[in-house]
């Protein structure tokens, strides 16, 4: 099935008001490309970015599973939506590892975000040790099965992000990406039936202008989740263009 590609930037804990010019440059250049583009910004920039670039998809990077309450420092899905976000990442490995989030937490976050009306990018990925032990596919499929939201599969994307590839400049072989995405597609179809075939499967981890085209050529790679290379329009736009030209 032909799926429109999605290239989403993940700014992580980067970005001040002075960086809104970079957002504007990305949006201006990405407006007419034949691919979906989004920027998942720090919560502090979402409202200003969403106001500055109406119509462009601004996202958050995490969400709490509850709508409101005594959760100091957290942001809920309705708050993200209220600030102008239209999607959110959940389950990034930096939260799974850094904040101790498990599959059940991530499933609850995804369900809360979808219920509030946000699109969701759900991240999964194996460690170096798991890949070395030959358990990458089994590990990531189990992670996906346990963190997939109970839903109709619409408004959901999944990002395969090997932990050892994030911010390191290393990527899996093209064959390994293809093997993983095919396996994940199988799990999505098992979970959602035909709708699982329409869920976009992104690759993330050291995507750069120099490797984007070969990654996007892999069957079942429907876009990318881009960290470091999404911070500057000069790095991000060639990745967007590589997706649009597939
Ligand atoms: P990277 O990060 O592109 O800097 O490797 C990707 C991510 O963590 O989403």
């Amino acid at each position: 099935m032909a799926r429109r590609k999605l290239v989403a930037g993940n700014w992580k804990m980067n970005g001040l008001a002075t960086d809104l010019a970079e957002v504007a440059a990305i949006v201006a250049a990405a407006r007419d490309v034949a691919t979906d583009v989004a920027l998942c910004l720090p919560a502090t920039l979402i409202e200003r970015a969403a106001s500055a670039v109406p119509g462009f998809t601004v996202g958050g990077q995490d969400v709490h599973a509850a709508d409101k309450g005594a959760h100091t420092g957290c942001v809920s899905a309705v708050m993200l939506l209220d600030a102008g976000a239209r999607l959110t990442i959940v389950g990034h490995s930096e939260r799974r590892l850094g904040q101790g989030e498990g599959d059940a937490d991530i499933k609850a976050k995804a369900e809360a975000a979808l219920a509030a009306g946000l699109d969701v990018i759900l991240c999964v990925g194996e460690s170096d040790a798991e890949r070395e032990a030959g358990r990458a596919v089994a590990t990531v499929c189990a992670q996906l099965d346990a963190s997939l939201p109970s839903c109709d599969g619409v408004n959901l994307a999944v990002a395969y992000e090997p932990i050892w590839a994030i911010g390191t400049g290393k990527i899996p072989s093209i064959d390994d990406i293809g093997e993983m995405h095919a396996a994940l597609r199988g799990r999505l179809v098992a979970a959602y039936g035909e709708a699982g075939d329409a869920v976009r499967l992104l690759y993330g981890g050291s995507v750069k202008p120099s490797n984007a085209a070969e990654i996007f050529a892999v069957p079942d790679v429907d876009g990318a989740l881009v960290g470091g290379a999404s911070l500057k329009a000069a790095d991000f736009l060639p990745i967007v263009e590589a997706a649009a030209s597939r």
Side-chain angles (χ1 to χ4, degrees):
M1 142 171 234
R3 288 168 293 264
R4 188 175 161 90
K5 291 213 174 352
L6 166 63
V7 181
N10 173 12
W11 275 27
K12 309 192 179 184
M13 199 171 71
N14 298 291
L16 299 173
T18 46
D19 299 302
L20 288 168
E22 213 62 45
V23 174
I26 288 168
V27 174
R31 200 171 297 271
D32 296 320
V33 295
T35 193
D36 291 337
V37 181
L39 285 175
C40 296
L41 299 174
T44 46
L45 284 185
I46 288 173
E47 201 277 332
R48 275 173 289 179
S51 307
V53 290
F56 179 78
T57 304
V58 173
Q61 301 169 7
D62 178 53
V63 74
H64 196 279
D67 277 354
K68 60 179 181 177
H71 304 288
T72 303
C74 300
V75 175
S76 75
V78 287
M79 288 170 171
L80 282 185
L81 206 66
D82 187 50
R86 291 180 21 213
L87 72 79
T88 188
I89 298 169
V90 298
H92 192 284
S93 58
E94 286 155 15
R95 294 207 59 90
R96 286 180 184 264
L97 299 175
Q99 313 297 324
E101 293 180 4
D103 292 327
D105 302 310
I106 289 151
K107 176 177 158 80
K109 285 168 183 253
E111 287 171 355
L114 290 167
L118 293 170
D119 289 355
V120 166
I121 299 175
L122 166 64
C123 302
V124 289
E126 83 282 3
S127 67
D128 204 10
E130 287 159 343
R131 178 153 292 275
E132 288 300 311
R135 293 200 318 267
V137 171
T139 301
V140 176
C141 285
Q143 226 177 55
L144 184 74
D145 288 349
S147 47
L148 271 184
S150 299
C151 67
D152 56 9
V154 179
N155 302 327
L156 177 69
V158 169
Y160 165 54
E161 298 205 307
I163 296 165
W164 52 271
I166 294 174
T168 60
K170 292 191 268 185
I171 63 166
S173 72
I174 291 303
D175 284 352
D176 285 345
I177 296 175
E179 180 192 32
M180 186 66 78
H181 279 233
L184 294 175
R185 176 68 59 206
R187 301 313 307 155
L188 289 168
V189 170
Y192 301 128
E194 251 178 56
D197 205 36
V199 173
R200 289 187 285 200
L201 265 172
L202 316 182
Y203 169 79
S206 295
V207 177
K208 308 264 181 262
S210 57
N211 60 22
E214 60 169 344
I215 293 171
F216 292 141
V218 178
D220 274 308
V221 172
D222 308 312
L225 184 57
V226 184
S230 70
L231 294 171
K232 295 280 171 222
D235 296 325
F236 193 52
L237 290 170
I239 298 171
V240 170
E241 279 154 20
S245 65
R246 287 302 309 171

